[in-house]
Amino acid sequence: MSTPDPADLAGVLEAVAAWQLPGSPLQLHPGDIGWFGGRGEAATAAALRVWRRSGRVVAVGLLDGEALLRLGIDPREQREEELARRIVEDVVADDARVLPTGEVGVECPPGALIHDLLGEVGWSLDEPWTLLGRDLAEPVEAPALHVAEIGAERAAAWAAVHRAAFDGTAVTQEWATRRFLTMAEGPAAQDARFLLGVDDQGRAVACAGVWGAGAGHLGIVEPMGVDPQHRGRGYGREITLAAAGALRDLGAAQAWVATTTSNRGAVATYEAAGFVAHGQRRDRVRAAG
């Protein structure tokens, strides 16, 4: 295991992208790393843990905050015992090489052996997340809402909608805009598109980011949000349709998203946009003390 340098980010992203194949479980995606990348390349590299075998990347973890490790594992290696036990050894180590002591969590790819092994050492199950996907073989219905792909020129508007949608009162508008600009210039953004939905009065009402992983691979929607002042008008469905269409234009075979199962409104929004639930994922968590 190692922590990469910023210069290594492109190689790590390339490895994670190669694992996003139809039929593989939804797991850590280049888009997750790209979204985190709003903090800058140095901070993103410092938040990654990379496991290699004979020089080949076989697993990548993203520390999404201090207490959550989001894992991606080569689909060919997800039931391989030596790798799973090595990752568990690193994750539970007292020297905080991966996670600090106390209450922490690990987001595991569904079906990966590490999920079982963490259960064996006493880690419990966290709340369920619903995984939803949409096949992109056929064209996607055009949204009724006007949705435009945007860049730096409308960063402030995109950031304002996102900040409102996710109750970003703890951060300033300036900070949110700067994070968008940094993210959009990061190494993962070449396979990303940022969408802004505008109502018939010219008001920015919804936003979404979409991230591909190469032609024929899985793409994700991260994030999607509607300004609370404009909810209840179907804008979530419309911006999600636009997001699926943007991923199809990028060459993605499928569009995927994960949301907490308890957030029934979000699940219903994605289903209304043609996404189908494909089971649930539950993180493994270790209680404090």
Side-chain angles (χ1 to χ4, degrees), residues 25-26 73 75 77-80 108-116 131 280-282:
L26 183 63
I73 304 173
E77 307 274 359
Q78 291 186 1
R79 299 296 298 179
E80 203 280 314
C108 309
L113 181 59
I114 184 176
H115 191 277
D116 304 333
L131 310 179
Q280 297 180 336
R281 180 182 66 209
R282 300 184 73 174

Side-chain angles (χ1 to χ4, degrees), residues 83-185:
L83 173 62
R85 292 195 180 279
R86 177 61 59 87
I87 295 174
V88 169
E89 178 184 325
D90 290 329
V91 164
V92 304
D94 292 334
D95 61 6
R97 70 186 72 161
V98 178
L99 288 167
T101 57
E103 185 174 350
V104 293
V106 175
E107 179 187 289
C108 309
L113 181 59
I114 184 176
H115 191 277
D116 304 333
L117 297 182
L118 286 171
E120 290 178 7
V121 297
W123 289 45
S124 59
L125 294 171
D126 202 6
E127 65 175 323
W129 287 64
T130 296
L131 310 179
L132 300 109
R134 173 172 175 149
D135 186 83
L136 299 177
E138 300 297 328
V140 178
E141 173 189 346
L145 179 69
H146 175 70
V147 179
E149 180 185 325
I150 63 103
E153 77 289 347
R154 303 196 71 181
W158 194 99
V161 174
H162 178 266
R163 181 168 172 259
F166 292 92
D167 190 25
T169 53
V171 302
T172 65
Q173 172 66 23
E174 179 184 6
W175 185 93
T177 302
R178 185 168 61 249
R179 174 176 174 167
F180 175 90
L181 292 169
T182 302
M183 172 188 66
E185 295 172 356

Side-chain angles (χ1 to χ4, degrees), residues 4-289:
D5 295 323
D8 300 326
L9 281 176
V12 173
L13 288 165
E14 182 179 359
V16 175
W19 304 338
Q20 311 301 321
L21 300 173
S24 297
L26 183 63
Q27 58 173 336
L28 183 71
H29 190 278
D32 297 315
I33 301 173
W35 174 241
F36 188 94
R39 297 165 173 82
E41 291 188 22
T44 302
L48 291 172
R49 299 294 182 269
V50 179
W51 285 265
R52 291 180 171 87
R53 178 187 287 120
S54 302
R56 182 173 66 87
V57 176
V58 291
V60 175
L62 172 67
L63 284 164
D64 197 352
E66 293 184 356
L68 175 64
L69 181 73
R70 306 181 65 188
L71 272 176
I73 304 173
D74 185 329
R76 298 169 294 182
E77 307 274 359
Q78 291 186 1
R79 299 296 298 179
E80 203 280 314
E81 186 171 359
E82 180 185 13
L83 173 62
R85 292 195 180 279
R86 177 61 59 87
I87 295 174
V88 169
E89 178 184 325
D90 290 329
V91 164
V92 304
D94 292 334
D95 61 6
R97 70 186 72 161
V98 178
L99 288 167
T101 57
E103 185 174 350
V104 293
V106 175
E107 179 187 289
C108 309
L113 181 59
I114 184 176
H115 191 277
D116 304 333
L117 297 182
L118 286 171
E120 290 178 7
V121 297
W123 289 45
S124 59
L125 294 171
D126 202 6
E127 65 175 323
W129 287 64
T130 296
L131 310 179
L132 300 109
R134 173 172 175 149
D135 186 83
L136 299 177
E138 300 297 328
V140 178
E141 173 189 346
L145 179 69
H146 175 70
V147 179
E149 180 185 325
I150 63 103
E153 77 289 347
R154 303 196 71 181
W158 194 99
V161 174
H162 178 266
R163 181 168 172 259
F166 292 92
D167 190 25
T169 53
V171 302
T172 65
Q173 172 66 23
E174 179 184 6
W175 185 93
T177 302
R178 185 168 61 249
R179 174 176 174 167
F180 175 90
L181 292 169
T182 302
M183 172 188 66
E185 295 172 356
Q190 61 182 353
D191 245 356
R193 300 290 184 270
F194 304 103
L195 308 175
L196 187 66
V198 179
D199 69 9
D200 56 10
Q201 296 183 47
R203 299 173 298 193
V205 296
C207 70
V210 302
W211 306 82
H217 289 193
L218 308 183
I220 63 168
V221 181
E222 174 64 12
M224 184 281 287
V226 177
D227 187 315
Q229 298 183 55
H230 302 286
R231 288 177 181 163
R233 299 178 174 89
Y235 294 153
R237 174 184 182 271
E238 302 305 315
I239 194 78
T240 301
L241 284 172
L247 283 170
R248 188 174 190 272
D249 291 343
L250 283 168
Q254 298 170 357
W256 282 84
V257 68
T259 187
T260 50
T261 302
S262 60
N263 190 346
R264 296 180 179 177
V267 173
T269 293
Y270 291 119
E271 290 180 332
F275 285 66
V276 177
H278 291 271
Q280 297 180 336
R281 180 182 66 209
R282 300 184 73 174
D283 296 352
R284 283 288 183 181
V285 293
R286 180 182 64 199

